[in-house]
Structures are given as structure tokens and as C-alpha cells.
Amino acid sequence: MKTATALAGGLAGALTLNLIHETYRKIDKDAPHIHLIGEEALTKLLKAAGLPLPSTQKELYACTLAADILSNALYYSLIGFGKKKHLLRRGLVLGLAAGVGAVFLPSKMNLNQSHSDRTTETKVLTILWYTLGGLAAAGAIKVLGKKK
């Protein structure tokens, strides 16, 4: 698999994940708020590095969204490496792993875990959305790989 194809597919998965998240959290107050974990992590990282923080909440949100899309795109691009016949399986497994990580890792990183595990619904949706992102990445990689 070409790296460019894997990266493009990873980006498709990351965009799918963020589109679902951003849309659903505006219509359901119990939706996961993964962006808040990202904002907290980015703030801690910038402070630890001695770098300036975004000056407004809007800037912090935009920086977090950009970092989230980039990091998820890189992660989901891993789906493109390996045998083509296992693309969907890798998409499912890596997406599921990312979702489970999003639910259980924040507390291990001293971040507010309640944004992803507040209720059973929040946990299930977090895992589901990351899994859908992985499957979208796998599908995009499969389609893009055929065009080469």
C-alpha cells in the first residue's frame, strides 16, 4: 500500500470521527465531549513545554481540533499497512482500540475522564465513533487503493 493512500484514508477516518462527534454533541447533552479532553491535554502540553497558550477559547478549540484530526489521521493511516484483504479487520480493530483508549486512558494521563465515560451511553458512543472512524479509513483506503 502506498503511504499517500494510507494517509488519505487515515484523514478520511479522522474527518468522519470528528464530523460525527461535532454534530452529535450539539444535539445530545449526554454525548461524549472528547474535544474537552483534547483541550485539557493540549493546555498541559503547552504549559509543560513553556509555550504560549491560545489566547481565547475559540483558538484553543481550533488548535485542539487541528491536532485531533492530524493525530487521528496518522493513527488511522496504520490501517493501510499490511495485506489488503485484512483492511476492514484492521480498521475495526484499530478503531475499537482507539475508542476503548479514549474511554479508559484519560484518567491514566491525569485528564478528566468524565468527558468520555460519564454514562454508559457516553462510553458506548465514544467507542462506536472511533470504530466508525477506523472503518471509514479502511473503506477509503480500499477505494483509493483500487484507483492506483
Side-chain angles (χ1 to χ4, degrees):
M1 183 72 50
K2 292 192 175 219
T3 302
T5 301
L7 287 170
L11 179 60
L15 292 173
T16 298
L17 166 64
N18 280 280
L19 182 63
I20 293 169
H21 172 249
E22 291 300 314
T23 302
Y24 196 84
R25 75 178 181 87
K26 291 178 180 174
I27 61 173
D28 183 355
K29 66 177 176 51
D30 290 326
H33 290 277
I34 303 299
H35 64 291
L36 296 177
I37 295 172
E39 288 177 0
E40 184 182 0
L42 181 60
T43 299
K44 285 184 176 188
L45 181 66
L46 292 173
K47 283 181 181 179
L51 296 171
L53 298 176
S55 58
T56 66
Q57 180 60 36
K58 192 173 184 176
E59 281 182 24
L60 176 61
Y61 171 78
C63 290
T64 301
L65 184 61
D68 187 53
I69 291 171
L70 177 62
S71 62
N72 282 314
L74 291 172
Y75 175 76
Y76 285 140
S77 73
L78 297 174
I79 295 164
F81 298 99
K83 293 182 181 181
K84 287 183 182 182
K85 71 179 186 174
H86 299 301
L87 272 171
L88 290 177
R89 183 180 304 156
R90 280 194 306 276
L92 176 66
V93 169
L94 287 175
L96 187 60
V100 169
V103 170
F104 295 105
L105 289 178
S107 67
K108 307 290 186 229
M109 300 164 57
N110 294 318
L111 299 171
N112 185 345
Q113 189 167 343
S114 70
H115 301 304
S116 63
D117 81 344
R118 184 172 51 260
T119 65
T120 300
E121 176 188 357
T122 307
K123 291 175 192 175
V124 169
L125 289 175
T126 298
I127 294 168
L128 175 64
W129 294 348
Y130 277 92
T131 303
L132 290 173
L135 291 171
I141 291 166
K142 186 172 184 170
V143 167
L144 293 170
K146 288 182 179 180
K147 296 184 182 216
K148 302 286 178 196

